[in-house]
């Protein structure tokens, strides 16, 4: 009985915290972070014209002259996200949250396969409450996808 109550509390905590990740994405932090501008411009160009900011059609990397290379693993999925949800600040940060949630889901499957359901629930709770997971989803950066690919790999 206590295990079931603990599991329900873990599930509720994970759900509430992950829903809260989508709250106030446009105001906390306020405005575009300096590194988000490169991502936003590249994704907007791909979404609207099918080219990067230097007007090269469908390049492998979204390249900008000031050193902000955008990898295809970020640009092309973000372009699809932008087609559906737009390319506003909150939308691009929402994409970062979505990528992180895919990573947390991968951690659940990995931990469940290796150690069972109880351990998977604790792993998901730890990943949800982890401070790094909050910081990386408040800013739309391309580096968020790297841990997700490692988890699912």
């Amino acid at each position: 009985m206590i295990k079931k109550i603990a599991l329900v509390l873990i599930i509720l905590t994970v759900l509430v915290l992950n829903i809260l990740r989508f709250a106030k994405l446009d105001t906390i932090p306020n405005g575009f972070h300096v590194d988000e501008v490169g991502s936003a411009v590249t994704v907007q160009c791909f979404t609207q014209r099918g080219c990067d900011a230097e007007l090269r059609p469908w390049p492998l990397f979204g390249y900008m002259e000031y050193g902000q290379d955008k990898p295809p693993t970020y640009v092309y999925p973000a372009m699809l996200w932008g087609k559906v949800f737009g390319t506003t600040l909150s939308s691009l940060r929402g994409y970062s949250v979505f990528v992180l949630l895919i990573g947390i889901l991968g951690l659940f499957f990995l931990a469940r396969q290796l150690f069972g359901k109880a351990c998977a629930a604790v792993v998901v709770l730890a990943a949800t409450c982890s401070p790094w997971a909050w910081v990386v989803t408040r800013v739309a950066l391309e580096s968020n996808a790297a841990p997700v690919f490692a988890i699912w790999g």
Side-chain angles (χ1 to χ4, degrees):
M1 181 66 172
I2 293 177
K3 286 183 181 181
K4 288 184 181 183
I5 292 172
L7 184 61
V8 168
L9 287 175
I10 288 173
I11 291 170
L12 286 175
T13 303
V14 166
L15 287 174
V16 168
L17 289 177
N18 284 317
I19 289 170
L20 286 175
R21 287 186 196 283
F22 289 98
K24 298 187 181 235
L25 287 174
D26 57 339
T27 58
I28 302 174
N30 197 14
F32 276 109
H33 184 272
V34 67
D35 291 337
E36 287 178 301
V37 174
S39 298
V41 168
T42 304
V43 170
Q44 287 170 353
C45 289
F46 271 78
T47 302
Q48 295 172 5
R49 300 279 185 182
C51 62
D52 65 4
E54 303 296 323
L55 300 178
R56 287 182 289 264
W58 304 108
L60 182 59
F61 288 85
Y63 180 71
M64 299 181 79
E65 289 298 331
Y66 56 90
Q68 292 287 324
D69 296 345
K70 303 300 169 193
T73 54
Y74 176 81
V75 171
Y76 288 101
M79 180 190 65
L80 295 175
W81 181 272
K83 291 272 188 192
V84 175
F85 298 105
T87 56
T88 63
L89 175 61
S90 58
S91 174
L92 290 176
R93 288 180 178 169
Y95 174 65
S96 292
V97 173
F98 177 74
V99 168
L100 179 78
L101 293 180
I102 295 292
I104 290 174
L105 182 66
L107 285 174
F108 170 79
F109 289 130
L110 183 62
R112 186 184 71 177
Q113 183 176 359
L114 294 175
F115 304 109
K117 290 180 184 178
C119 181
V122 173
V123 165
V124 167
L125 177 65
T128 297
C129 296
S130 181
W132 70 267
W134 281 98
V135 173
V136 298
T137 57
R138 300 314 289 184
V139 181
L141 297 175
E142 67 274 2
S143 60
N144 301 4
V148 175
F149 287 123
I151 291 165
W152 282 93

